[in-house]
Amino acid sequence: MLTKRIWKSPHLYVMVAPGLLYFLLFKYLPMWGVLIAFKDYLPYRGFWSSPWVGFKHFDRFFHDPVFWLLLKNTFILAVYNIVFFFPVPIIIALMLNELRVEWFKRSIQTAVYIPHFVSWVVVVGMVYTFFSSEGGIFTSMLAQAGMPVPNFLMSNDWFRPMIVLEVIWKESGWGTIIFLAALAGVDPTLYEAAKMDGASRFRQLWHITLPAIRSTIVILFILRLGNFLDTGFEQIFLMLNSTNRQVGEVFDTYVYVNGVQQGQFSFSTAVGLFKSLVGLCLVYAANKVAKKLGEEGVY
């Protein structure tokens, strides 16, 4: 049957082929590498000749006192991102959708998209420029105003808020693209009918706009839960220092230190596999709940 469909529409399958090859080569084939989480991988013996050790590395990780610290830090940052970052692209998209002057709307869209293309190295460099305790622009303004100047970059209390604010500034504009596309599909006659019935702009937003993009919000929320424990290695690694490591050390940085710097490949793979399994369970559970509530879900 597949060969008949390919023969009937060959051009469509030719277009699909590059994307399919990409996922096969860079997503599915590398999954064989997770097997070293159950081996004592030795580079000089190779992948297949390294001895099997079962759940030894998982047992070591779960009994290590640092596990609970990593879980706590990663979970708190993940919850912060869900609570504070996830709604921001939706709010921005709704606000942009209400703009009627086209050139102004496009200018604002461009302005909020640009930070997405700035690397985390540059973003963290800007943060240091503004918030450094020695000559930082913002801290100098606070000092000149006679206000107390906290040590933003060294403080445990400020680490998590700054991480979330950086993510909001950098990624919220880019996240509006899908929501704006969903809003473009809303039937304009619904708004006209609502106006004739005397509905205010807020009522139109609440009863027409939000229900129209509800399924999109649910699907993106489910997909976001799949990366729940992915708190962003590069950003956190660049923001870490010896004073805030107690609240900033997460699974991603722990994997880097043990896997790349210390060469514990099997152990770090076990940690990464645990994180991925948690994400898979969250996606499955969220999809079930979404279907129970009458939404389509991801699958």
Side-chain angles (χ1 to χ4, degrees):
M1 293 299 179
L2 179 61
T3 55
K4 288 183 178 180
R5 289 198 296 268
I6 295 175
W7 182 258
K8 186 177 180 181
S9 306
H11 299 92
L12 295 177
Y13 287 91
V14 169
M15 293 175 63
V16 170
L20 185 62
L21 287 173
Y22 168 78
F23 278 98
L24 286 174
L25 293 175
F26 298 104
K27 299 297 181 180
Y28 286 99
L29 286 179
M31 288 179 67
W32 285 103
V34 302
L35 290 177
I36 68 173
F38 306 96
K39 288 172 166 262
D40 192 4
Y41 177 67
L42 303 170
Y44 62 87
R45 295 189 63 175
F47 181 81
W48 298 109
S49 299
S50 297
W52 291 92
V53 294
F55 292 94
K56 169 187 171 182
H57 301 298
F58 294 93
D59 184 67
R60 171 191 164 189
F61 179 56
F62 294 145
H63 287 87
D64 192 330
V66 77
F67 168 75
W68 295 107
L69 175 66
L70 295 173
L71 185 63
K72 174 187 173 183
N73 292 341
T74 306
F75 184 82
I76 291 175
L77 278 175
V79 171
Y80 279 11
N81 281 327
I82 290 289
V83 173
F84 297 108
F85 168 67
F86 184 78
V88 174
I90 303 172
I91 296 170
I92 295 176
L94 293 173
M95 294 172 66
L96 288 171
N97 190 58
E98 293 297 315
L99 295 177
R100 294 295 175 259
V101 181
E102 195 62 28
W103 67 267
F104 183 67
K105 178 179 178 179
R106 292 184 180 279
S107 300
I108 297 298
Q109 283 182 270
T110 303
V112 296
Y113 289 170
I114 288 175
H116 170 76
F117 300 99
V118 180
S119 72
W120 277 116
V121 176
V122 176
V123 173
V124 173
M126 293 168 61
V127 170
Y128 272 77
T129 301
F130 276 91
F131 296 99
S132 174
S133 58
E134 299 179 1
I137 297 173
F138 183 72
T139 52
S140 298
M141 292 172 60
L142 290 178
Q144 291 175 4
M147 300 176 65
V149 182
N151 196 336
F152 294 100
L153 302 178
M154 300 291 181
S155 170
N156 287 344
D157 296 330
W158 279 99
F159 180 82
R160 290 165 182 156
M162 292 190 71
I163 289 292
V164 176
L165 288 173
E166 289 170 16
V167 174
I168 291 174
W169 179 80
K170 186 177 187 297
E171 300 295 345
S172 58
W174 186 254
T176 62
I177 292 176
I178 296 177
F179 297 111
L180 286 172
L183 289 170
V186 181
D187 189 355
T189 59
L190 295 175
Y191 294 107
E192 295 175 5
K195 287 179 182 178
M196 293 181 65
D197 289 338
S200 63
R201 296 288 287 271
F202 179 77
R203 287 290 183 182
Q204 294 175 41
L205 175 70
W206 187 258
H207 294 288
I208 298 176
T209 308
L210 283 176
I213 64 172
R214 184 176 59 188
S215 59
T216 304
I217 295 173
V218 170
I219 290 173
L220 290 179
F221 181 75
I222 294 172
L223 294 176
R224 182 69 185 84
L225 287 179
N227 298 319
F228 182 73
L229 297 182
D230 289 336
T231 49
F233 162 75
E234 189 177 2
Q235 176 197 14
I236 294 178
F237 182 74
L238 292 170
M239 291 291 293
L240 274 180
N241 53 59
S242 58
T243 59
N244 60 24
R245 190 169 293 275
Q246 191 68 19
V247 297
E249 190 79 71
V250 294
F251 287 120
D252 291 329
T253 56
Y254 186 73
V255 167
Y256 172 78
V257 170
N258 285 273
V260 177
Q261 294 185 346
Q262 299 181 9
Q264 301 181 53
F265 302 111
S266 294
F267 178 69
S268 59
T269 302
V271 177
L273 182 58
F274 163 75
K275 190 183 73 169
S276 300
L277 289 174
V278 171
L280 177 64
C281 293
L282 288 173
V283 168
Y284 180 78
N287 195 71
K288 281 283 189 183
V289 172
K291 288 191 172 183
K292 290 283 187 182
L293 296 175
E295 299 294 335
E296 293 182 5
V298 177
Y299 58 88

